[in-house]
């Protein structure tokens, strides 16, 4: 899995299903938060020319499988760990992307075939390890959450800082062996107690880990299906995540009231 660089910048959320965090106060500020994990190729690639391994390497989420094309700006210094590229989707929206990718020096237009077999294997192994680490750590930490839950309900029913701390540990443990998160613009965040709405572009599920490492006691808004995931869904319930039935306008009203 490629590295990820978290951006706290003025980019706009592109996806209607972005993760959002809502405060109950009438004075609300909004903070767009973008996370990307896009490695780099210095040539234009069409969707049809991308192998499975390349799509995994590029970190293209399922929802962008209909993207017409991806344009990666030529970068003269591919060996540098930081590269930039633009991602355009079918609506022709350009997205500024910054990545830190150890594969940056390996990609070229000519060797995509030999590259793809190696990368497929590597990305499969890395993916399996990632899920193993995140699942095993979640099991142990969920038990901790469960034990602490009565105290959380008694002492800190709304913010649930203890649960958020456990979730932060979980996210940090999961992420640490696989990629480094670099935050930019943290100084633009309001103080932790200031009511705010955080808007993430939700380019992939990795933004959840990134957001949790912020250490803020926010509430995710999530589609209800995710609550059915074992351990993670239960932990979301303990965290006080707000469920949203996306096609149900009444459910949307309920979460705005909350
Ligand atoms: C015990 C370890 C601690 C575990 C803490 C887990 C915290 C997990 C927080 C999960 C927050 C989930 C937010 C999901 C937001 C959401 O709802 O995204 C929908 C997208 O996917 C798009 O779905 P789709 O359009 O159906 O592909």
């Amino acid at each position: 899995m490629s590295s990820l660089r978290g951006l706290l910048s003025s980019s706009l959320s592109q996806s209607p299903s972005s993760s959002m965090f809502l405060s109950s106060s009438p004075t609300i500020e909004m903070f767009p938060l973008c996370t990307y994990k896009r490695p780099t190729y210095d040539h234009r690639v069409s969707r049809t020319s991308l192998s499975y391994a390349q799509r995994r390497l590029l970190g293209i989420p399922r929802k962008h499988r209909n993207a017409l094309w991806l344009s990666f700006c030529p970068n003269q210094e591919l060996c540098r760990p930081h590269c930039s590229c633009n991602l355009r989707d079918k609506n022709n929206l350009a997205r500024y992307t910054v990545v830190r990718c150890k594969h940056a020096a390996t990609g070229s237009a000519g060797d995509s075939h030999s590259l793809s077999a190696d990368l497929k294997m590597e990305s499969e192994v890395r993916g399996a390890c990632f899920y193993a680490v995140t699942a095993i750590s979640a099991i142990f930490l969920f038990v901790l959450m469960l034990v602490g839950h009565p105290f959380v309900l008694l002492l800190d029913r709304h913010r649930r800082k203890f649960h958020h701390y456990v979730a932060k540990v979980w996210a940090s443990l999961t992420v640490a062996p696989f990629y480094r998160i670099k935050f930019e613009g943290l100084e633009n965040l309001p103080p932790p107690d200031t009511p705010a709405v955080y808007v993430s572009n939700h380019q992939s599920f990795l933004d959840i880990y990134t957001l949790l490492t912020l250490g803020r006691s926010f509430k995710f808004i999530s589609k209800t299906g995710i609550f059915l995931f074992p351990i993670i869904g239960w932990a979301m319930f303990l965290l006080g995540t707000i469920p949203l039935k996306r096609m149900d306008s009444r459910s949307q009203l309920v979460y705005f009231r909350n």
Side-chain angles (χ1 to χ4, degrees):
M1 186 165 301
S2 304
S3 308
L4 172 136
R5 192 172 188 197
L7 293 181
L8 295 169
S9 68
S10 59
S11 310
L12 289 174
S13 169
Q14 307 274 351
S15 159
S17 61
S18 296
S19 314
M20 297 173 67
F21 316 103
L22 188 63
S23 151
S24 57
S25 163
T27 321
I28 287 174
E29 294 177 63
M30 294 188 71
F31 293 88
L33 189 150
C34 302
T35 58
Y36 292 97
K37 61 173 191 74
R38 296 276 181 271
T40 54
Y41 284 112
D42 63 338
H43 59 284
R44 184 176 292 193
V45 286
S46 74
R47 180 168 68 95
T48 50
S49 72
L50 287 177
S51 69
Y52 170 77
Q54 285 168 324
R55 284 202 307 275
R56 288 288 299 269
L57 174 71
L58 290 167
I60 299 171
R62 271 168 190 250
K63 61 186 165 191
H64 291 305
R65 63 186 163 208
N66 293 326
L68 292 179
W69 53 276
L70 299 164
S71 170
F72 294 90
C73 295
N75 192 315
Q76 303 304 317
E77 299 174 276
L78 275 177
C79 292
R80 284 178 50 192
H82 291 90
C83 305
S84 306
C85 58
N86 288 320
L87 169 67
R88 286 172 185 271
D89 66 11
K90 61 185 173 186
N91 297 320
N92 217 26
L93 295 168
R95 299 169 187 188
Y96 181 64
T97 308
V98 181
V99 296
R100 178 189 292 272
C101 175
K102 75 172 196 158
H103 298 295
T106 63
S108 73
D111 60 359
S112 61
H113 286 299
S114 59
L115 190 66
S116 71
D118 289 348
L119 291 179
K120 182 172 179 179
M121 173 63 78
E122 186 183 332
S123 70
E124 292 293 333
V125 171
R126 285 167 70 83
C129 292
F130 182 90
Y131 286 117
V133 170
T134 206
I136 292 167
S137 55
I139 291 169
F140 288 104
L141 290 168
F142 177 69
V143 174
L144 188 61
M145 264 188 170
L146 213 51
V147 170
H149 195 58
F151 301 101
V152 168
L153 288 183
L154 275 175
L155 305 171
D156 184 26
R157 186 181 194 87
H158 297 293
R159 287 194 176 271
R160 305 190 180 189
K161 284 184 182 170
F162 174 75
H163 288 340
H164 277 278
Y165 182 73
V166 175
K168 179 182 176 178
V169 170
W170 171 71
S172 306
L173 277 176
T174 300
V175 159
F178 300 99
Y179 59 84
R180 254 192 308 165
I181 300 173
K182 182 167 182 181
F183 293 101
E184 288 179 5
L186 279 177
E187 67 278 6
N188 298 323
L189 286 179
D193 288 338
T194 305
V197 175
Y198 297 83
V199 182
S200 166
N201 59 3
H202 202 33
Q203 288 286 291
S204 79
F205 69 90
L206 291 177
D207 62 353
I208 294 168
Y209 294 90
T210 307
L211 290 162
L212 287 173
T213 59
L214 279 177
R216 300 270 170 135
S217 297
F218 52 72
K219 301 294 179 210
F220 280 101
I221 294 170
S222 169
K223 65 176 185 179
T224 47
I226 301 179
F227 285 82
L228 301 176
F229 290 5
I231 308 288
I232 301 299
W234 306 335
M236 285 165 63
F237 178 75
L238 298 185
L239 275 165
T241 301
I242 301 167
L244 175 67
K245 288 183 198 156
R246 287 192 296 194
M247 303 310 289
D248 182 342
S249 51
R250 254 183 304 176
S251 162
Q252 291 166 18
L253 276 177
V254 167
Y255 100 74
F256 274 120
R257 270 194 221 115
N258 287 339

